[in-house]
Amino acid sequence: MKQIERYILRRMASLTFWSLTAATLLVMTTQVLIRVDVLTTTGQAFGAFMMLAGTLVPSVVSIVAPFALLIGVGQVLSGMNADSELVVIEAAGVRPVTVLKPVLVLSVAVSILVLLVANFVEPWSNRKLYDVLAQAQSDLFSVAVRSGTFMQLEDGLYVQVNEKLPGGVLGGIFLSDTRTKGTEAIYYAKSGVIKSNGDTDILFLMDGELQQRDLSNDQISIVTFTSYALDMAAFVPAGGSSARRPKEQPTSYLLNPPKDDYFFKEVPFLFKEELVQRFASWMYPLAFGLISFTFLGKARSNRHEQFQNGAIVAGLALTARGFGFYSGDEAGTNVVMELLSYAVPAGFIVVFGLLALTGKSLTIPRAWARFNERMLETINSRVVRWRGGSSGGQSA
């Protein structure tokens, strides 16, 4: 790379890194606070908090990395325009590809990072995350015994335990599970005990019944059991194939899941949703980089025009990623949304990639720019008059 290209790449990479770091810490903090009640209620050690925070980093990085790149590329290009660096570059006869090349290098690097994290690091971290929460949920049964009230293990999952019997046996266990859309399950057992099976904690329920209600038609099925095992990590029937959630499974497992996998039998659409998220999310950094270059990669003499172009870039990026989240959630049950999950970011890459390679740039219409300027000037003048009037009134 030429010296000017290395200079631009270094500035963009530095700002992208710090934006990614700040955004990751902010989002990770909010996610930790959502789950911290379980840890504090059960008196978990400080190491459990750190493990919880660490396991959340990969999933947060996959989400915020495209936006960190958008900030890094967009801010550097806007700064170069404000400092007349883009004007000097163009006046020197340098081709637009000189500015495009660092954008492409950084965008491709971030896209590869997101692809690797989503398919290799994030599934592993999700397994660790649920192991930490499963251990906390095991301890929460003891808290439920002491309190004698309903305790929330996670959204849609509640437990009540009447008493603790000799030998660590729990008496009078009640579980309510409404996590699966369209169904409601209620477990009641006269007694139960938590035992470790390797790295997995299993809740064995004895002498009870399971009531399942289909919310679509209110049909209820009742199963009486003498012994029933629940995997504490996911609170699904233990035994047989793995009860790990699709988010915890490696990509190779999702592509060819065993037929007796609990989630594959009960909610197979979750597998397709997870695969769409893993194979579509990596395209957004590249799309955002090309969008930023197309609108901000040329010298602009009008400062308001550059600001408004930046607003358009942010609007396009938020719209594209917001639709990506929506289509990804619907991909499991809607083939059209599954196709659009890939087609939308790919379309942005193709359209804005062709514009960038052909040296064409986009900007807001001049009439729109002038209208916006007049609006801003009008608002500014009214604010100035209002402040002046307020100051005069106070002085009087």
Side-chain angles (χ1 to χ4, degrees):
M1 298 181 71
K2 299 176 183 178
Q3 184 175 0
I4 183 63
E5 294 171 345
R6 292 196 300 271
Y7 163 74
I8 297 173
L9 177 61
R10 185 166 59 251
R11 289 183 59 182
M12 289 180 177
S14 176
L15 187 54
T16 298
F17 171 78
W18 289 114
S19 299
L20 178 61
T21 301
T24 299
L25 290 175
L26 178 62
V27 177
M28 185 181 67
T29 301
T30 61
Q31 294 299 309
V32 170
L33 292 176
I34 292 174
R35 298 171 172 85
V36 76
D37 287 345
V38 175
L39 298 183
T40 55
T41 303
T42 57
Q44 295 291 307
F46 178 73
F49 286 90
M50 298 305 297
M51 177 64 74
L52 177 64
T55 54
L56 288 171
V57 171
S59 58
V60 174
V61 167
S62 298
I63 296 174
V64 303
F67 296 101
L69 174 78
L70 184 72
I71 294 172
V73 174
Q75 190 64 30
V76 168
L77 291 177
S78 296
M80 292 179 66
N81 182 76
D83 297 336
S84 301
E85 291 176 289
L86 290 179
V87 176
V88 173
I89 290 174
E90 293 181 9
V94 178
R95 294 185 303 167
V97 72
T98 302
V99 181
L100 174 61
K101 189 174 180 180
V103 176
L104 281 178
V105 170
L106 183 60
S107 300
V108 170
V110 176
S111 292
I112 294 175
L113 172 66
V114 172
L115 180 64
L116 294 177
V117 169
N119 285 276
F120 298 100
V121 182
E122 190 175 348
W124 174 85
S125 69
N126 285 337
R127 288 196 294 272
K128 293 297 182 182
L129 169 63
Y130 285 114
D131 287 343
V132 172
L133 294 178
Q135 180 60 46
Q137 289 165 351
S138 300
D139 297 338
L140 199 58
F141 271 81
S142 300
V143 179
V145 172
R146 292 197 300 269
S147 65
T149 60
F150 281 94
M151 301 292 295
Q152 182 178 5
L153 302 182
E154 58 181 90
D155 289 340
L157 183 62
Y158 297 85
V159 61
Q160 182 186 31
V161 181
N162 289 337
E163 58 182 341
K164 189 170 184 178
L165 304 175
V169 178
L170 306 175
I173 299 176
F174 178 88
L175 275 170
S176 174
D177 186 0
T178 58
R179 295 171 299 169
T180 303
K181 184 178 180 181
T183 61
E184 181 183 54
I186 296 177
Y187 301 83
Y188 174 77
K190 292 182 179 179
S191 62
V193 64
I194 300 174
K195 295 182 179 181
S196 296
N197 182 16
D199 296 332
T200 305
D201 289 330
I202 304 296
L203 172 62
F204 291 95
L205 303 175
M206 279 80 75
D207 296 329
E209 66 179 27
L210 164 61
Q211 299 180 10
Q212 288 183 308
R213 182 161 70 104
D214 189 337
L215 299 180
S216 62
N217 52 25
D218 282 337
Q219 290 186 351
I220 299 176
S221 62
I222 300 176
V223 178
T224 303
F225 57 83
T226 56
S227 178
Y228 200 87
L230 289 174
D231 186 343
M232 293 288 291
F235 274 96
V236 297
S241 185
S242 173
R244 292 281 187 180
R245 295 175 173 87
K247 287 183 176 294
E248 303 173 63
Q249 299 288 8
T251 302
S252 58
Y253 185 96
L254 299 181
L255 292 172
N256 187 26
K259 301 301 181 182
D260 58 344
D261 182 282
Y262 173 79
F263 287 99
F264 186 69
K265 290 189 298 182
E266 300 294 329
V267 281
F269 62 88
L270 292 180
F271 282 72
K272 186 179 292 186
E273 290 179 7
E274 183 63 22
L275 286 171
V276 168
Q277 293 288 354
R278 294 187 187 186
F279 288 123
S281 59
W282 70 270
M283 290 188 281
Y284 286 97
L286 183 55
F288 288 2
L290 292 171
I291 292 173
S292 297
F293 175 80
T294 304
F295 280 95
L296 304 174
K298 292 281 189 177
R300 310 288 183 189
S301 58
N302 190 317
R303 185 175 300 177
H304 292 298
E305 181 182 347
Q306 187 76 356
F307 171 79
Q308 293 166 27
N309 283 338
I312 292 177
V313 170
L316 285 174
L318 290 173
T319 301
R321 197 64 187 100
F323 180 80
F325 287 131
Y326 171 76
S327 61
D329 289 339
E330 297 294 325
T333 55
N334 191 320
V335 178
V336 175
M337 287 299 175
E338 180 185 2
L339 295 176
L340 289 177
S341 297
Y342 300 105
V344 169
F348 274 98
I349 292 173
V350 171
V351 171
F352 288 97
L354 290 175
L355 290 172
L357 292 174
T358 54
K360 297 179 180 179
S361 62
L362 297 180
T363 186
I364 62 173
R366 293 187 180 275
W368 185 8
R370 287 194 296 269
F371 173 77
N372 290 338
E373 288 180 17
R374 288 195 298 269
M375 288 291 294
L376 291 173
E377 290 174 359
T378 302
I379 294 173
N380 184 59
S381 62
R382 290 183 178 179
V383 170
V384 170
R385 286 200 301 269
W386 177 78
R387 286 181 177 177
S390 299
S391 299
Q394 292 175 356
S395 298

